[in-house]
Amino acid sequence: MSIVAVVGRPNVGKSTFFNRLIQRREAIVDAVSGVTRDRHYGKSDWNGKEFSLIDTGGYVKGSDDIFEAEIDKQVELAIDEADAIIFMVDVESGVTGMDQEVAKLLRRSKKPIFLAINKVDGASRVNDALEFYSLGFENQYNLSSINGSGTGELLDDLVKALPDREEPDDSELPRFAVVGRPNAGKSSFINALIGKDRYIVTDIAGTTRDSIDTKYDRFGFEFNLVDTAGIRKKSKVKEDLEFYSVMRSVRAIEHCDVIILVFDATRGFDGQVENIFWLAQRNNKGIVILANKWDLVEDKESSSVKDYEKYIRQQIEPFVDVPIVFVSVLTKQRIYKAIETAVEVYQNRSKKVKTSELNEVMLPIIQNYPPPAYKAKYVKIKFCTQLPTPYPSFAFFCNLPQYVKDPYKRFIENKLRENFDFSGVPITVYFRKK
């Protein structure tokens, strides 16, 4: 999947534009906040073509502010990683010195650049937008991120410029992506699995530019292992390793079936790890959490496995039905248990429940615990079925679907999990008009 970066100086409306794109189409998964301020990740599509969207922080050249200096590095990384760039400016301010600095930076990238002139929300401002031709970009679009005018033409041309990603070989095999923060033990985990006697059939280039698929065939398991740690070297990685780890995780997650989320138990299940977790959940991927370096946790009496697991589940509420495996890659403790669990999660994600069995189990539960009445109207659910999607999703047909609220949807999801094993897999529940 291609990556599109939205860049520009502060206060030109990048975030408003980003929010409009990720909310306006049904195929969109959601936005995930980044680890530093003013950065978000989302997934959008236009005319049937999906792409990842990155809203970078405002670029400010030469600032002494530590946050702004950090954001500048991340903007440069986003430009380096993106397939196309939306350069946003503000017609109210006109061409500023900072716009010229950003334009200079973008011209060096040799990526497709789309100049979005924001706040052109009236005919009187169209002429004002003409001065932006001085920045030297051919693709120039007048739009308003507040009301959405002009965004269609921009997106039409944008998706035409995005490259078509080829599907990897052996696409019928499960794809497990090993993701997590830097230095959490991802590379060591993969090396421990492969071992000295390498049971590798072939190394093939993945659908993303930075990850390598290793076909793994050992102990009765066969799958493609996506190594996000073994990426090509980049000069800028040292400047912001945390940001780059999220960038490569975005790509790996979108093209896998199950993510193996590795984190350092001595550092804790922090915000960076949570962001990757929620990104996978919003993309409807299977998830296995590995607490690595458990052998290095000193005070195991006060931090028992049970207490630590309870803490993690509190951080990932309400999606708590996720397997957590405590491992030590150094000693190879439970690493094969981790793979067994990942295979089980993949099977859960691929599971199809017969319609007759689903109705036989769920309809009596719904009859005993119906949706609460709303405005003196009662919801009657008569039929349910699993939808033909790559991940578990279910449709419940009723007379008044608009009156079914989120708490009842969670109740239905929990009952599905109780009766059918969907551990580690997000479930989507729809209520539709009969």
Side-chain angles (χ1 to χ4, degrees):
M1 188 177 300
S2 301
I3 286 184
V4 177
V6 183
V7 304
R9 59 180 173 81
N11 304 317
V12 295
K14 297 187 307 300
S15 294
T16 305
F17 175 74
F18 172 86
N19 290 335
R20 174 166 291 279
L21 289 192
I22 66 159
Q23 293 171 2
R24 67 181 299 169
R25 301 189 67 83
E26 291 182 358
I28 292 160
V29 181
D30 202 346
V32 182
S33 297
V35 293
T36 63
R37 67 186 188 183
D38 296 334
R39 188 176 69 248
H40 299 84
Y41 308 88
K43 183 179 176 184
S44 183
D45 80 48
W46 187 261
N47 292 341
K49 191 162 189 175
E50 291 187 336
F51 56 91
S52 293
L53 198 66
I54 300 173
D55 170 27
T56 63
Y59 187 87
V60 182
K61 189 69 175 176
S63 172
D64 293 330
D65 186 291
I66 186 171
F67 282 104
E68 288 177 349
E70 185 71 11
I71 288 170
D72 290 355
K73 296 176 185 178
Q74 294 163 3
V75 170
E76 293 175 9
L77 280 169
I79 292 170
D80 186 42
E81 183 71 7
D83 297 293
I85 299 159
I86 298 174
F87 175 22
M88 185 158 282
V89 293
D90 178 1
V91 73
E92 290 182 350
S93 304
V95 178
T96 67
M98 194 54 58
D99 291 329
Q100 293 172 341
E101 290 288 342
V102 177
K104 190 185 302 182
L105 179 69
L106 293 177
R107 278 193 292 270
R108 293 199 300 265
S109 72
K110 298 181 180 180
K111 303 286 180 69
I113 309 295
F114 297 84
L115 181 63
I117 306 168
N118 194 22
K119 304 180 185 178
V120 185
D121 46 13
S124 60
R125 290 185 170 179
V126 173
N127 289 334
D128 295 337
L130 295 176
E131 70 169 301
F132 287 95
Y133 278 107
S134 64
L135 294 176
F137 296 107
E138 181 181 352
N139 300 318
Q140 183 167 313
Y141 305 85
N142 298 334
L143 57 87
S144 171
S145 58
I146 291 291
N147 60 38
S149 65
T151 57
E153 183 182 356
L154 166 62
L155 292 173
D156 284 343
D157 291 345
L158 173 70
V159 295
K160 291 177 185 176
L162 296 178
D164 293 322
R165 301 290 183 192
E166 294 183 1
E167 289 297 321
D169 294 334
D170 296 309
S171 57
E172 73 279 1
L173 291 179
R175 290 170 56 82
F176 298 166
V178 182
V179 300
R181 288 186 58 161
N183 304 317
K186 300 185 296 297
S187 294
S188 300
F189 174 71
I190 291 171
N191 290 336
L193 283 177
I194 295 172
K196 293 181 180 180
D197 299 320
R198 299 170 65 88
Y199 287 78
I200 302 173
V201 176
T202 181
D203 286 336
I204 56 175
T207 54
T208 66
R209 290 174 294 183
D210 286 329
S211 58
I212 297 295
D213 285 13
T214 299
K215 188 175 179 182
Y216 183 92
D217 186 1
R218 198 174 186 182
F219 302 125
F221 299 128
E222 187 176 9
F223 52 83
N224 281 329
L225 193 63
V226 185
D227 178 8
T228 60
I231 62 169
R232 70 181 182 214
K233 293 183 179 179
K234 286 194 177 184
S235 59
K236 295 188 180 71
V237 173
K238 59 185 179 183
E239 296 177 2
D240 194 339
L241 200 56
E242 296 295 339
F243 173 58
Y244 199 81
S245 71
V246 176
M247 292 283 290
R248 66 196 184 200
S249 295
V250 168
R251 284 191 180 277
I253 287 169
E254 287 170 346
H255 297 283
C256 75
D257 299 296
V258 176
I259 77 157
I260 300 174
L261 178 54
V262 183
F263 78 97
D264 185 343
T266 63
R267 296 180 63 177
F269 195 84
D270 58 17
Q272 173 82 337
V273 183
E274 288 181 42
N275 282 329
I276 298 173
F277 174 86
W278 290 118
L279 185 65
Q281 185 269 340
R282 286 174 169 90
N283 277 272
N284 296 295
K285 306 300 183 180
I287 305 173
V288 178
I289 298 175
L290 298 193
N292 189 27
K293 305 182 184 179
W294 185 245
D295 56 317
L296 300 181
V297 176
E298 297 179 355
D299 192 4
K300 287 191 175 64
E301 292 184 1
S302 60
S303 300
S304 66
V305 168
K306 187 175 181 180
D307 292 337
Y308 207 108
E309 185 174 324
K310 181 180 178 181
Y311 164 74
I312 294 173
R313 297 196 189 282
Q314 288 174 344
Q315 303 304 110
I316 61 176
E317 290 178 342
F319 181 33
V320 296
D321 188 16
V322 178
I324 302 171
V325 184
F326 291 79
V327 303
S328 170
V329 171
L330 187 64
T331 63
K332 297 188 178 181
Q333 184 181 23
R334 285 188 289 274
I335 62 169
Y336 297 108
K337 172 66 175 176
I339 289 299
E340 289 177 3
T341 305
V343 171
E344 290 172 2
V345 169
Y346 171 77
Q347 293 169 346
N348 292 342
R349 187 172 185 265
S350 308
K351 181 181 297 183
K352 303 299 179 185
V353 181
K354 291 182 179 179
T355 301
S356 58
E357 183 183 0
L358 185 65
N359 283 270
E360 187 178 312
V361 171
M362 295 304 298
L363 290 184
I365 295 174
I366 292 169
Q367 187 175 3
N368 291 331
Y369 301 95
Y374 184 77
K375 295 183 179 180
K377 295 183 179 180
Y378 293 89
V379 179
K380 295 182 180 179
I381 302 170
K382 297 296 185 181
F383 177 75
C384 55
T385 186
Q386 185 172 0
L387 300 176
T389 55
Y391 53 87
S393 57
F394 299 87
F396 289 77
F397 294 90
C398 58
N399 58 336
L400 299 168
Q402 67 272 25
Y403 293 149
V404 180
K405 304 303 179 184
D406 287 341
Y408 193 78
K409 290 181 180 179
R410 287 194 292 271
F411 166 77
I412 292 296
E413 178 184 338
N414 290 336
K415 291 302 177 182
L416 286 169
R417 293 186 182 280
E418 285 180 16
N419 291 277
F420 310 98
D421 184 8
F422 288 110
S423 177
V425 184
I427 295 177
T428 305
V429 176
Y430 301 96
F431 285 84
R432 294 179 175 173
K433 182 77 174 178
K434 184 178 179 183

